[in-house]
Amino acid sequence: ESYKLVIGGLLFFALFNSSDVFLLLKGKESGLNDTQVIGVYVFYNIVYALLSYPLGALADKIGLKRVLVFGLFVFSFVYLVMSTKFSFPIYFAMFFLYGLYAAATEGVSKALISNIAAKSEIATAIGTFTAFQSVCALLASTLTGVLWAKFNASVALIVTSVASLLVAIYFIFFVRVKIIKQE
């Protein structure tokens, strides 16, 4: 039961978590030059790499779901701010937070799945999730592109922000994680 609830929430989120390219395009749309946009993306990857271990350790201490929900709230905030016109310092700060989000969710979501799946099915559970997550990423990027083209970047990013906020609320109120003892 926990597995279905967790996977359902994560996959719904994945349906709105489009390619990072849209955030880079938004930077260009806001007047940033190529060097700034590329530099910020490199910075994001450094932040993600540096914070993954400490946030994983924190998740082990306070709970995987708590750190995951925190990451979803950060993601929602980043997309909301990115839906506006911004300066380079704001863009830089948002990509720091975006790295924080990634560090709080990527490994933690897979750890959560491994804790709620039966021991004999952990690899299958994570593999199945990853496969569906990839399909959802394709759909998410398509949806974001359609919204961007039909309306504008702000609409596309706000829709993503709202969807991720709804997923965070879903995890808080509807997902009870029942850890399966692994022997």
Side-chain angles (χ1 to χ4, degrees):
E1 184 66 29
S2 288
Y3 177 76
K4 288 178 184 175
L5 293 174
V6 168
I7 294 298
L10 291 174
L11 290 178
F12 183 79
F13 172 68
L15 279 172
F16 293 90
N17 187 6
S18 61
S19 171
D20 295 343
V21 168
F22 290 104
L23 296 179
L24 302 178
L25 288 171
K26 182 60 176 157
K28 290 293 292 177
E29 185 181 90
S30 291
L32 304 179
N33 65 44
D34 291 344
T35 303
Q36 290 172 319
V37 171
I38 292 167
V40 166
Y41 195 67
V42 170
F43 172 69
Y44 148 77
N45 281 286
I46 292 168
V47 170
Y48 175 21
L50 291 175
L51 293 181
S52 289
Y53 174 77
L55 284 171
L58 179 65
D60 286 336
K61 286 186 177 137
I62 68 168
L64 298 167
K65 185 176 114 173
R66 285 183 178 160
V67 173
L68 177 69
V69 167
F70 167 75
L72 292 170
F73 278 123
V74 171
F75 179 94
S76 181
F77 177 75
V78 167
Y79 270 73
L80 182 63
V81 171
M82 295 286 269
S83 73
T84 66
K85 189 165 174 74
F86 45 77
S87 63
F88 179 69
I90 298 296
Y91 193 63
F92 190 82
M94 289 306 101
F95 266 88
F96 172 82
L97 291 177
Y98 198 58
L100 177 68
Y101 137 75
T105 59
E106 294 293 328
V108 170
S109 62
K110 289 174 181 71
L112 182 58
I113 292 167
S114 70
N115 282 338
I116 61 177
K119 181 180 180 185
S120 62
E121 298 172 2
I122 291 173
T124 302
I126 293 173
T128 301
F129 167 68
T130 304
F132 281 109
Q133 183 183 37
S134 296
V135 171
C136 288
L138 175 64
L139 295 172
S141 292
T142 302
L143 172 64
T144 301
V146 168
L147 291 172
W148 193 299
K150 182 86 172 152
F151 301 102
N152 58 44
S154 294
V155 169
L157 298 176
I158 288 170
V159 166
T160 299
S161 175
V162 170
S164 59
L165 180 62
L166 292 173
V167 173
I169 292 167
Y170 165 79
F171 269 96
I172 291 169
F173 292 106
F174 299 103
V175 176
R176 300 287 174 254
V177 177
K178 184 175 180 187
I179 306 293
I180 294 177
K181 282 265 195 204
Q182 306 297 341
E183 297 168 13

